[in-house]
Amino acid sequence: MANLSIDAVKEMTFDAIVIGSGISGGWAAKELTGKGLKTLVLERGRDVKHVIDYPTANLNPWEFEHRGQVPLEIKKQNPIESQKRGLFNEATMHFVVKDGEQPYIEDKPFNWTRGYHVGGKSLLWARQTQRWSDFDFEGPARDGFAVDWPIRYKDLASWYSYVEKFAGISGNKDGLPHLPDGEFLPATEMSCVDAYFKDQIAKNYQDRQMIQGRCAHLTQPKEVHYQQGRAKCQHRALCVRGCPFGGYFSSNASTLPWAAKTGKMTLRPHSVVHSIIYDDKKGQATGVRVVDANTKEMLEYYAKIIFVNASALNTNLILLNSTSSRFENGLGNDSGVLGKYVAFHNYRARISAQFEGLMDKTTDGKTPNHSYIPRFRNVHKQETDFLRGYAAGFGGGRGMIQNKEGIGATLKEQLLNPVLGPWNVSSWMMGETIPKESNFVTLDKTLKDPYGIPQMRFSVAFDDNDEKMIQDYLEQFTEMFTKAGFTNIKPVDSKSAPGSDIHEMGGVRMGKDPRTSILNKWNQMHACKNVFVTDGACMTSTATQNPSLTYMAFTARSADYAVKEMKKGNI
């Protein structure tokens, strides 16, 4: 503990500290303050207040200086981020960490997407929210990779319901054993070309289904959503700019304001966490060291419990940098697996086509959602030469065609009156990668970031299993598109590097055995009982579902357990 007066120490002391304010950090703040704990939330970036700090949310296309494009000079300065056109454009690039701002080392190429501001990537996420099933939790044990999950679906089911009701999840009850139903608001509507493809899949395949996506949008708000100050989704489809209506779930619109209302939360932006303080005599963590991003001053804050929700890889970094005489290789790292078994979702493959049916129909307006094809490979038994499988998104629409031939009045008339073209449809793969020891992150021994913290080194890559899965997706969807009567089918492997699609997980995995894992079934460190990790770092495997809903459920469940243990005097 620093040399501080009693009053100063008291001022720096809380019941709980939450590191990170993104999707899981926001939930930790909500749950801990809701249970009466005086909670400090540390965010390394700037503050982003709901509504106030969404500068592009209501801009029209012509109001952007560069018509939505990123100027060439900025692209040249950010070659990694420039590959992510969906996030790195004139409307959203203020929410994305630029390449040079926070350097890291790529021993193997890794496109790390980060959102360093209050709310983190909860402002940027795709809002797809599917539950896991036991086909996912039992996967590592059944297929013989990683370690067995210490929980099953029954352990998380009620917590899924708990977070779904608060966040607001739209969807249909589809009755699929491998994609359990939840507490849904009414689903968004499937387009006619989506419905057509759904029927074609059902007609041609007994083991495959297409459903409307389950997404965190308020299609019919409940009282609890109005209490959050949120309103019905307006279908503007401008979500990644920040939604002033609170139409989709984010920490900024939902959990953080809810926590603030308790009067128990202190939110401290510009606080870069250096490490967690471990007291050898007490045998527990006592606080965190923070570098003030503006002054570069090192500060210490103290608490009885610490939730680490810095985002998957930054959580790894903080724990690896939290060394002591007890933990020379990182906090809680008795097993030696900290930083290892990093995995992610594989989005490299996609396919597009055209459809010349349904020419008497079109769509009107916008949708924040899309259709979803749950995993159908290796669900009930091993049936391919690769492990696990993939889910897929699907969407379609009709574009307008302008005839630019001719001159004069004829050309003008044609340009002013474009006609509807054929349906354009596309699908994209969401593949499960297998956690393996050879995919890991470490800290560099000499290079430091602007805050004096060791830079992260990445050694993460695709493997032969991923390549076989990509090939299978492209073959299967070419067949499915062909059977549906689609034409001009174009399968694509983008060859993009890992990290391009944000869903990195692992490095601080859960497990039954302290010799092979860092966290127990409560997301609690085996070797340091008052530290909990509930962001993507805790994941033992990745499944194919978008992971954020599972992080939310883990966090609420873990916070409930932590507070009960505190009251019992166990931590």
Side-chain angles (χ1 to χ4, degrees):
M1 185 175 290
N3 186 21
L4 299 171
S5 68
I6 293 175
D7 287 343
V9 171
K10 185 177 180 181
E11 191 174 311
M12 310 290 266
T13 301
F14 298 80
D15 295 323
I17 293 174
V18 177
I19 303 173
S21 63
I23 215 154
S24 64
W27 267 99
K30 172 190 173 292
E31 295 302 303
L32 295 171
T33 57
K35 297 178 188 301
L37 270 60
K38 180 184 171 187
T39 302
L40 173 66
V41 178
L42 297 169
E43 165 54 50
R44 64 177 297 145
R46 63 188 170 89
D47 197 4
V48 173
K49 288 186 167 53
H50 181 49
V51 182
I52 297 171
D53 292 323
Y54 304 152
T56 60
N58 292 317
L59 293 185
N60 290 301
W62 57 87
E63 294 178 294
F64 288 94
E65 182 180 359
H66 304 288
R67 297 297 185 266
Q69 300 299 309
V70 177
L72 180 60
E73 190 61 29
I74 297 178
K75 283 186 178 179
K76 288 180 178 177
Q77 294 167 0
N78 297 278
I80 296 175
E81 291 305 323
S82 294
Q83 297 175 38
K84 306 162 187 170
R85 287 178 294 176
L87 292 180
F88 197 68
N89 55 57
E90 195 175 17
T92 58
M93 61 181 179
H94 51 283
F95 287 145
V96 178
V97 176
K98 311 301 182 294
D99 288 359
E101 290 180 5
Q102 186 66 34
Y104 61 93
I105 303 157
E106 299 172 87
D107 292 327
K108 297 175 182 175
F110 192 90
N111 293 346
W112 192 13
T113 299
R114 295 157 290 172
Y116 289 168
H117 49 260
V118 167
K121 289 182 286 189
S122 78
L123 287 173
L124 302 170
W125 67 313
R127 305 155 326 271
Q128 291 294 301
T129 42
Q130 308 98 11
R131 294 187 180 199
W132 281 37
S133 74
D134 276 339
F135 292 102
D136 306 301
F137 286 114
E138 294 174 358
R142 189 193 78 169
D143 294 342
F145 64 91
V147 294
D148 190 13
W149 277 89
I151 66 166
R152 291 294 184 263
Y153 177 68
K154 63 179 175 56
D155 299 305
L156 209 56
S158 64
W159 292 102
Y160 273 132
S161 294
Y162 178 78
V163 299
E164 286 167 344
K165 290 175 183 175
F166 187 84
I169 307 298
S170 71
N172 292 311
K173 290 189 180 296
D174 301 294
L176 304 176
H178 52 303
L179 201 74
D181 292 331
E183 309 289 339
F184 296 142
L185 303 173
T188 56
E189 188 176 359
M190 192 178 277
S191 76
C192 61
V193 75
D194 287 40
Y196 168 79
F197 189 48
K198 174 184 177 181
D199 291 343
Q200 292 298 308
I201 292 175
K203 175 183 173 183
N204 290 297
Y205 302 92
Q206 293 184 344
D207 62 343
R208 304 179 190 187
Q209 305 86 24
M210 189 165 92
I211 64 173
Q212 181 62 330
R214 299 166 179 178
C215 66
H217 283 253
L218 299 181
T219 53
Q220 189 178 93
K222 304 290 187 183
E223 178 58 28
V224 69
H225 305 125
Y226 291 129
Q227 290 176 12
Q228 295 168 38
R230 299 169 59 198
K232 185 177 180 179
C233 172
Q234 305 294 301
H235 283 226
R236 302 183 331 142
L238 301 175
C239 311
V240 291
R241 300 182 189 182
C243 180
F245 301 95
Y248 73 87
F249 174 85
S250 69
S251 295
N252 310 65
S254 184
T255 45
L256 291 176
W258 194 270
K261 283 196 299 186
T262 67
K264 297 286 186 181
M265 181 180 79
T266 299
L267 174 63
R268 194 182 196 285
H270 304 295
S271 301
V272 181
V273 172
H274 174 280
S275 55
I276 294 173
I277 305 165
Y278 183 80
D279 188 315
D280 287 344
K281 293 180 180 176
K282 293 181 178 178
Q284 64 182 16
T286 55
V288 300
R289 299 182 187 90
V290 171
V291 180
D292 186 294
N294 293 320
T295 67
K296 302 297 194 295
E297 181 185 9
M298 179 79 86
L299 304 167
E300 292 186 358
Y301 293 93
Y302 312 105
K304 299 170 185 171
I305 58 172
I306 298 167
F307 270 67
V308 192
N309 301 91
S311 81
L313 297 177
N314 270 319
T315 287
N316 275 271
L317 186 155
I318 290 168
L319 296 179
L320 285 166
N321 200 41
S322 301
T323 56
S324 62
S325 57
R326 166 69 178 84
F327 296 110
E328 294 181 352
N329 298 311
L331 184 63
N333 193 19
D334 288 344
S335 60
V337 301
L338 180 61
K340 299 177 180 176
Y341 299 94
V342 171
F344 52 93
H345 280 154
N346 177 359
Y347 278 69
R348 265 176 46 185
R350 62 179 185 271
I351 187 167
S352 62
Q354 291 185 321
F355 182 51
E356 297 181 358
L358 303 173
M359 297 300 282
D360 59 336
K361 296 180 174 59
T362 187
T363 54
D364 187 27
K366 299 178 180 178
T367 178
N369 198 6
H370 57 72
S371 297
Y372 182 82
I373 301 166
R375 175 183 159 209
F376 55 84
R377 286 304 219 191
N378 305 322
V379 176
H380 298 280
K381 62 180 181 179
Q382 186 63 37
E383 57 191 7
T384 69
D385 63 348
F386 59 86
L387 292 177
R388 311 301 292 163
Y390 48 81
F394 179 86
R398 294 184 70 179
M400 304 299 291
I401 296 177
Q402 283 183 321
N403 186 347
K404 298 179 181 178
E405 295 180 352
I407 59 173
T410 301
L411 175 59
K412 181 179 178 181
E413 183 69 17
Q414 291 170 171
L415 293 176
L416 291 174
N417 295 284
V419 298
L420 282 167
W423 290 93
N424 297 306
V425 299
S426 64
S427 171
W428 51 99
M429 167 187 170
M430 295 174 275
E432 177 173 358
T433 65
I434 304 301
K436 48 188 179 291
E437 190 170 11
S438 57
N439 274 351
F440 61 88
V441 292
T442 58
L443 300 185
D444 191 86
K445 295 180 180 176
T446 56
L447 294 174
K448 302 289 179 65
D449 73 4
Y451 309 103
I453 298 171
Q455 290 188 26
M456 184 98 85
R457 300 191 74 96
F458 285 77
S459 184
V460 178
F462 291 105
D463 63 12
D464 185 55
N465 197 72
D466 302 319
E467 300 296 339
K468 290 177 179 177
M469 192 183 295
I470 289 169
Q471 187 61 36
D472 188 76
Y473 166 85
L474 293 174
E475 291 174 358
Q476 293 303 311
F477 273 73
T478 296
E479 178 187 287
M480 292 160 70
F481 275 23
T482 301
K483 288 186 175 180
F486 297 161
T487 59
N488 197 20
I489 298 170
K490 296 179 179 177
V492 173
D493 178 354
S494 71
K495 303 289 186 183
S496 58
S500 300
D501 298 289
I502 300 181
H503 296 174
E504 55 266 10
M505 293 175 244
V508 194
R509 69 184 181 187
M510 298 170 70
K512 298 174 181 175
D513 189 343
R515 294 171 299 180
T516 57
S517 60
I518 303 291
L519 308 171
N520 66 16
K521 65 179 180 179
W522 300 107
N523 296 78
Q524 179 185 34
M525 275 195 171
H526 291 299
C528 186
K529 298 295 186 186
N530 64 333
V531 174
F532 297 80
V533 178
T534 63
D535 62 12
C538 77
M539 301 297 277
T540 306
S541 61
T542 72
T544 57
Q545 293 90 326
N546 298 61
S548 295
L549 183 71
T550 300
Y551 303 164
M552 297 186 216
F554 271 140
T555 305
R557 176 177 180 266
S558 182
D560 181 72
Y561 172 79
V563 174
K564 287 177 178 173
E565 289 296 290
M566 283 180 67
K567 290 179 177 177
K568 293 176 184 174
N570 292 335
I571 56 177

